[in-house]
Amino acid sequence: MTAAPTPGSREVLGPQEISRALIRIAHEVLERNAGAENLAVLGIPTRGLPLARRLAAVIADVEGVDAQALVGELDVTMYRDDLRRHPTRTIGATTLPAGGVDDRVVVLVDDVLFSGRTIRAAMDALADLGRPSAVQLAVLVDRGHRELPIRADYVGKNLPTSRTEKVAVRLVEVDGVDSVRIENEEGDR
Amino acid sequence: MRHLLSVADLDRDAAVLVLDTAAEMAKTQGREIKKLPTLRGRTVVNLFFEDSTRTRISFEAAAKRLSADVINFSAKGSSVSKGESLKDTALTLQAMGADAVVVRHQASGAPHRLANAGWLDAAVLNAGDGTHQHPTQALLDAFTIRRHLRGPDVGDPDGVGADLSGLHVAIVGDVLHSRVARSNVGLLTTLGARVTLVAPPTLVPIGADRWPCEISYHLDEVLDSGPDAVMMLRVQRERMGGPGLAGAATSAGFFPSPLEYTRQYGLDARRLARLPEHAIVMHPGPMNRGLEISADAADSPRAVIVEQVANGVAVRMAVLYLLLAGDREKGTEA
């Protein structure tokens, strides 16, 4: 399933860099929240979910807790503000860790932070599921160009991009390979 | 998918997509906050020319849970009782900015006319037309069957991703007047199930021998063949002519007497005991207790009749989502 790199694209993160970034973020999460107690790590499908699982695994490893009890997935499709602009999207699953999200610190995990609209939708979805004591955001790549007042608490890599470029995150669980590439849309055509 | 007029609009993959979407919708209905913002600002009109309780309420609940505005229009007490035509009613709804029209009509084909005559831009959902189709009923029946009979195989409580291949469903009773039976024969076979219709010869429609199903006149034989699900149909006495609902004479020659119908085709405790352990009992409602189904059968733990109603809301939410949420010119994402 390994996707061939698009000509005109360049790799900005490889498997090792992605792994290092996740380990660093895991430590930052633990430092900021003084441990893994009351923590829930929710991945936003598609690629936020494997990242959330990896992050939870590192946290569980460091703290000696069960990763399964930390991790969940949060589908935001039904909360998006751009549904009418696109073909009908398929709804994904939402699964919360046992005990729900009430009075826990929820760390939302996504692959790329861009306009901030997905995170806005995620916060609305989360509010319908319970009342976390705090919500934090971890992303693998922050590429800028925010359209809403949203920022990430934990960032794997800040990546200055132009709007015409595309940031392609590929993960082993979904795409068979770990890489982050910048693809120039004009270069493809 | 632009309209949902008939189960023939759905191929296997489209039907599985509706059921999978319904499974996600059903999960949201177990939450404390059941309402989703998805169809905010959209208007759904329930246009009911024929009496209905559960279908109308179910569509209304589904639309409201998705934050759409709902306008209920029933022919009784409206300008239709003053003689307004379907066309003028449609033009009125168009002028009011309806995004979806859920229509039930006593005439087969009325929803098709509404969808294709160019009177309306709205999506049209058939909520039952004459003796033709009732696609959301078939979808909720398929959802219920899949949950109970395929869920354990595929390791998901709702059977997400699965079809109904390998299952045998018996549909019993007044097939002649039943749009539920016609819709289920189409959808269940599309999903890979085997369907057997069981009815007295007088209640089997002409041409049913060309449907993709088997036909039997003997309920006990079919029950002994071990069906996975038995769907009992309501005897639709209001469509049988005759003087009224009361008394034996109203069956107008379709069967000699209600008692004889019950003996031959009614599901009672004795027949329930002949079914395989895992088999489920279904009924689209409203039930004629004591006619096609006894109280013992209707209230037994194998009966999933009340669950069918709950699943109806989830399935209708899924259909409204798939028809209304996206850009209708661009269709459905692969």
Side-chain angles (χ1 to χ4, degrees), chain A:
Chain A
M1 254 183 89
T2 307
T6 319
S9 71
R10 65 195 160 89
E11 182 166 274
V12 284
L13 296 176
Q16 297 217 315
E17 283 112 336
I18 291 174
S19 158
R20 269 189 228 122
L22 284 171
I23 290 168
R24 173 174 54 77
I25 291 173
H27 284 281
E28 285 174 0
V29 169
L30 288 171
E31 198 169 36
R32 177 138 160 214
N33 298 298
E37 208 188 327
N38 270 337
L39 208 60
V41 181
L42 298 187
I44 299 172
T46 311
R47 289 179 184 76
L49 182 60
L51 289 173
R53 292 209 175 110
R54 291 189 205 179
L55 190 61
V58 180
I59 290 172
D61 207 31
V62 174
E63 291 291 297
V65 293
D66 176 18
Q68 277 308 310
L70 292 179
V71 74
E73 63 186 302
L74 181 67
D75 184 72
V76 306
T77 310
M78 287 192 276
Y79 294 84
R80 300 194 79 98
D81 61 5
D82 60 354
L83 285 171
R84 297 177 76 156
R85 293 165 174 241
H86 294 279
T88 309
R89 291 169 189 261
T90 305
I91 296 172
T94 292
T95 327
L96 296 182
V101 294
D102 282 342
D103 301 316
R104 287 168 91 170
V105 174
V106 171
V107 180
L108 293 173
V109 184
D110 205 359
D111 52 353
V112 180
L113 180 57
F114 184 20
S115 64
R117 290 178 189 266
T118 301
I119 305 305
R120 200 276 314 156
M123 288 193 290
D124 283 355
L126 201 51
D128 280 358
L129 290 167
R131 188 180 182 282
S133 61
V135 181
Q136 298 169 359
L137 174 61
V139 296
L140 183 60
V141 172
D142 180 350
R143 63 167 294 189
H145 304 290
R146 214 75 77 239
E147 293 166 4
L148 294 169
I150 281 170
R151 65 167 177 77
D153 299 85
Y154 314 102
V155 178
K157 183 161 179 70
N158 281 299
L159 212 57
T161 55
S162 92
R163 276 182 179 276
T164 58
E165 288 168 325
K166 189 170 175 279
V167 176
V169 174
R170 298 196 173 86
L171 297 171
V172 169
E173 295 90 332
V174 183
D175 313 286
V177 61
D178 272 356
S179 89
V180 177
R181 304 186 74 88
I182 292 186
E183 292 170 356
N184 199 322
E185 292 239 317
E186 274 118 66
D188 294 346
R189 283 162 201 160

Side-chain angles (χ1 to χ4, degrees), chain B residues 12-321:
Chain B
R12 180 199 169 276
D13 290 348
V16 170
L17 174 68
V18 175
L19 300 186
D20 290 353
T21 306
E24 295 308 327
M25 294 295 181
K27 282 183 201 155
T28 68
Q29 298 308 295
R31 296 179 188 168
E32 204 171 322
I33 298 171
K34 296 183 177 65
K35 205 174 176 86
L36 298 156
T38 317
L39 296 183
R40 212 156 54 91
R42 300 293 180 107
T43 302
V44 175
V45 177
N46 282 328
L47 183 59
F48 278 64
F49 292 92
E50 203 181 64
D51 293 339
S52 159
T53 314
R54 73 199 67 218
T55 304
R56 189 181 60 73
I57 292 176
S58 182
F59 265 110
E60 183 170 352
K64 285 181 170 171
R65 300 272 164 84
L66 290 169
S67 301
D69 294 313
V70 180
I71 297 171
N72 286 314
F73 179 106
S74 62
K76 273 179 203 149
S78 75
S79 44
V80 170
S81 56
K82 299 175 191 163
E84 188 175 67
S85 68
L86 184 62
K87 179 178 178 180
D88 288 329
T89 305
L91 294 174
T92 305
L93 300 178
Q94 170 72 5
M96 286 178 183
D99 295 298
V101 176
V102 176
V103 59
R104 165 163 294 190
H105 203 287
Q106 62 279 6
S108 301
H112 186 271
R113 183 91 176 118
L114 266 186
N116 295 303
W119 302 329
L120 274 171
D121 295 328
V124 176
L125 285 85
N126 183 357
D129 59 334
T131 57
H132 176 225
Q133 282 279 320
H134 190 356
T136 56
Q137 177 71 41
L139 284 162
L140 77 88
D141 290 333
F143 182 82
T144 307
I145 293 170
R146 189 176 80 160
R147 224 186 132 254
H148 280 272
L149 301 171
R150 293 307 306 277
D153 307 349
V154 298
D156 178 283
D158 295 311
V160 168
D163 59 15
L164 302 178
S165 50
L167 297 177
H168 180 204
V169 180
I171 301 179
V172 185
D174 183 358
V175 176
L176 179 63
H177 299 106
S178 179
R179 53 200 176 207
V180 174
R182 284 169 179 77
S183 302
N184 267 301
V185 167
L187 184 69
L188 299 180
T189 51
T190 297
L191 286 166
R194 185 161 69 87
V195 177
T196 304
L197 295 174
V198 187
T202 49
L203 289 174
V204 174
I206 292 169
D209 48 2
R210 291 194 303 269
W211 296 0
C213 61
E214 293 149 43
I215 296 171
S216 167
Y217 303 138
H218 305 287
L219 179 57
D220 287 319
E221 281 175 18
V222 173
L223 295 183
D224 287 341
S225 74
D228 299 293
V230 178
M231 189 183 297
M232 304 306 297
L233 299 172
R234 182 169 68 88
V235 175
Q236 300 196 34
R237 283 187 282 194
E238 78 277 15
R239 294 190 206 274
M240 291 184 184
L245 282 177
T250 63
S251 56
F254 288 105
F255 45 84
S257 74
L259 183 63
E260 176 152 348
Y261 181 87
T262 305
R263 285 213 185 114
Q264 297 286 318
Y265 296 100
L267 188 68
D268 54 16
R270 184 182 59 84
R271 288 195 168 118
L272 194 64
R274 299 170 83 135
L275 283 172
E277 197 81 358
H278 67 274
I280 57 171
V281 173
M282 308 170 76
H283 193 297
M287 290 185 275
N288 293 312
R289 282 178 185 248
L291 184 56
E292 70 266 4
I293 190 164
S294 76
D296 294 335
D299 299 330
S300 87
R302 286 165 167 208
V304 295
I305 298 162
V306 178
E307 192 197 311
Q308 284 174 273
V309 178
N311 291 342
V313 176
V315 161
R316 290 174 178 121
M317 286 173 78
V319 170
L320 286 170
Y321 173 80

Side-chain angles (χ1 to χ4, degrees), chain B residues 317-332:
Chain B
M317 286 173 78
V319 170
L320 286 170
Y321 173 80
L322 293 170
L323 285 177
L324 289 185
D327 182 330
R328 294 183 61 207
E329 304 309 314
K330 291 182 187 166
T332 303

